[in-house]
Amino acid sequence: MRRYLSYIKRHLFPQQQAPVPKLSIIVVVYKMAEQANNTLYSLSRKYQMDIKKEDYEVIVVENASSEELGEQRALSHGKNFRYFYRNDDSVSPVPAINYAAEQAIGEHICVMIDGARMVTPGMIKQTLSATRLSEMAVISVPGYHLGHKVQQEAMEEGYDTHMEAELLSSVAWKENGYNLFEIACFSSTSKRGYFLSGGESNCITVSKKLWNELGGYDAGFTSVGGGLSNLDFYKRACEHPETELINIAAEGSFHQFHGGVTTGQEAEKRLAALDTHFAEYESLRGEAFRPPKVPALVFGSFSAQSLIFAPVSVETYWEIKKYSYDKKESE
């Protein structure tokens, strides 16, 4: 009788497979426990709007350090979070990114190379909507620094994690993440605004098809922090002949101060690191790095807070267009 019931259950009531998530978000963590915890909270369903846990997964890859987030805290943010710990000798996040992409089961891959990047509450919803436009879309969320100056400059004036904690508490970001716009400025690689390509994206999404065509992140970038690996991936994705850049302009990716290679060191060390990064790029690509120059499709509904940055985006766009026109006329 038991065997018969088992047969009936197996053939008449087959188990449903778990739905495949539409989006796999990769977050790389190294020596930034508190900042990463904020980042993961900003990716959780407690914070993100109008999405289901089945819509996406978050793959946390932590490289061994003296200040670890740990599996327990990472997984506390939701059942759709997965955690991988890596103990290798690489000083670059590139191996961790490509490893995470191999684990990803989503139809699209979103890379957040820096685990210290908080996002706004509509990021996942708007990214998922944008994936429907084209299988070859390059979906980018503009980048900002917390504070009213880019952190490379602010730290020279005493900006640190304590000041940033006070800044964050002043806007109750967990209750309304769009308030982050009020305490931020464009990062240097996003300063061209919403309507043009930038230098990179710290929250970039592509389909698995495009990911495979691009070959993921280039393992040749082995310098500390990955060098220009993120800028290189963004450039290759934007300049692919079949892609279209989509800027989710109403959302943002906000960098938290954590003593990073290019944002948290004094000028002499920072400039030396940048020299190494640009030299590494040139050795790999045979030419100096130049940001992509492609137009962007602006996507999403603006919040009142995000409109703060619309005027400068328009102004920058027209300045560049006018310069291009004047240059063409003079030729």
Side-chain angles (χ1 to χ4, degrees):
M1 183 66 176
R2 185 176 296 172
R3 187 178 299 172
Y4 176 72
L5 290 174
S6 176
Y7 176 88
I8 293 293
K9 182 179 179 181
R10 200 165 55 247
H11 291 276
L12 297 185
F13 304 99
Q15 290 185 345
Q16 291 185 343
Q17 291 185 342
V20 175
K22 300 178 181 72
L23 183 65
S24 293
I25 303 172
I26 295 169
V27 181
V28 181
V29 176
Y30 174 73
K31 207 174 183 179
M32 52 175 72
E34 297 309 315
Q35 293 85 357
N37 201 47
N38 285 341
T39 295
L40 298 184
Y41 180 86
S42 78
L43 294 170
S44 72
R45 287 188 63 242
K46 294 177 185 176
Y47 176 90
Q48 288 291 319
M49 303 185 306
D50 303 326
I51 53 168
K52 299 177 291 185
K53 70 177 186 296
E54 294 83 8
D55 290 334
Y56 71 106
E57 64 171 349
V58 178
I59 302 172
V60 184
V61 184
E62 181 161 33
N63 289 321
S65 77
S66 58
E67 186 189 336
E68 292 178 355
L69 172 72
E71 182 176 22
Q72 184 175 355
R73 279 215 283 179
L75 298 184
S76 70
H77 292 285
K79 293 184 178 180
N80 56 338
F81 281 62
R82 294 197 281 155
Y83 176 88
F84 298 91
Y85 181 83
R86 288 173 60 85
N87 191 0
D88 59 33
D89 298 329
S90 177
V91 294
S92 167
V94 169
I97 292 170
N98 289 335
Y99 171 81
E102 292 173 1
Q103 318 309 313
I105 57 176
E107 298 169 4
H108 288 76
I109 293 174
C110 171
V111 177
M112 297 176 68
I113 188 172
D114 186 347
R117 288 263 175 181
M118 304 151 68
V119 294
T120 42
M123 188 281 285
I124 295 177
K125 175 187 176 183
Q126 297 292 354
T127 296
L128 288 173
S129 295
T131 62
R132 302 189 189 106
L133 297 179
S134 169
E135 190 177 28
M136 299 299 281
V138 178
I139 303 164
S140 174
V141 176
Y144 301 83
H145 281 194
L146 293 176
H148 298 294
K149 286 185 178 181
V150 290
Q151 290 168 0
Q152 296 94 319
E153 298 176 10
M155 68 159 293
E156 301 284 351
E157 301 173 8
Y159 187 82
D160 58 15
T161 55
H162 300 293
M163 291 180 66
E164 187 166 277
E166 292 179 6
L167 201 60
L168 285 170
S169 64
S170 72
V171 293
W173 70 273
K174 288 187 177 181
E175 286 71 44
N176 186 348
Y178 291 108
N179 291 340
L180 292 170
F181 285 107
E182 298 175 3
I183 56 168
C185 62
F186 270 133
S187 65
S188 57
T189 52
S190 290
K191 65 183 179 182
R192 295 175 73 189
Y194 301 146
F195 305 104
L196 299 161
S197 54
E200 67 175 326
S201 173
N202 282 278
C203 185
I204 183 170
T205 299
V206 298
S207 66
K208 271 196 171 174
K209 175 185 177 181
L210 180 53
W211 176 272
N212 291 332
E213 284 194 25
L214 295 171
Y217 276 58
D218 189 336
F221 289 95
T222 59
S223 58
V224 176
L228 300 193
S229 60
N230 200 48
L231 288 78
D232 172 74
F233 182 80
Y234 176 79
K235 178 180 172 69
R236 289 189 291 120
C238 288
E239 292 180 348
H240 187 288
E242 297 178 20
T243 60
E244 180 173 22
L245 175 62
I246 300 174
N247 277 342
I248 311 292
E251 308 298 327
S253 161
F254 295 83
H255 185 263
Q256 302 165 79
F257 186 81
H258 62 95
V261 178
T262 58
T263 56
Q265 297 192 99
E266 55 193 42
E268 187 176 349
K269 291 181 179 179
R270 183 174 70 248
L271 293 174
L274 286 171
D275 285 344
T276 300
H277 293 172
F278 281 98
E280 181 181 59
Y281 179 91
E282 192 163 350
S283 70
L284 289 169
R285 297 288 175 255
E287 60 183 7
F289 175 78
R290 290 182 177 82
K293 292 183 179 179
V294 299
L297 171 66
V298 176
F299 186 86
S301 302
F302 284 91
S303 65
Q305 296 94 325
S306 62
L307 281 172
I308 296 170
F309 292 90
V312 68
S313 297
V314 172
E315 184 179 343
T316 303
Y317 175 79
W318 283 113
E319 280 181 3
I320 292 173
K321 292 292 284 185
K322 183 178 183 300
Y323 170 78
S324 300
Y325 176 79
D326 290 345
K327 184 178 179 182
K328 187 175 179 181
E329 287 290 298
S330 66
E331 293 173 350

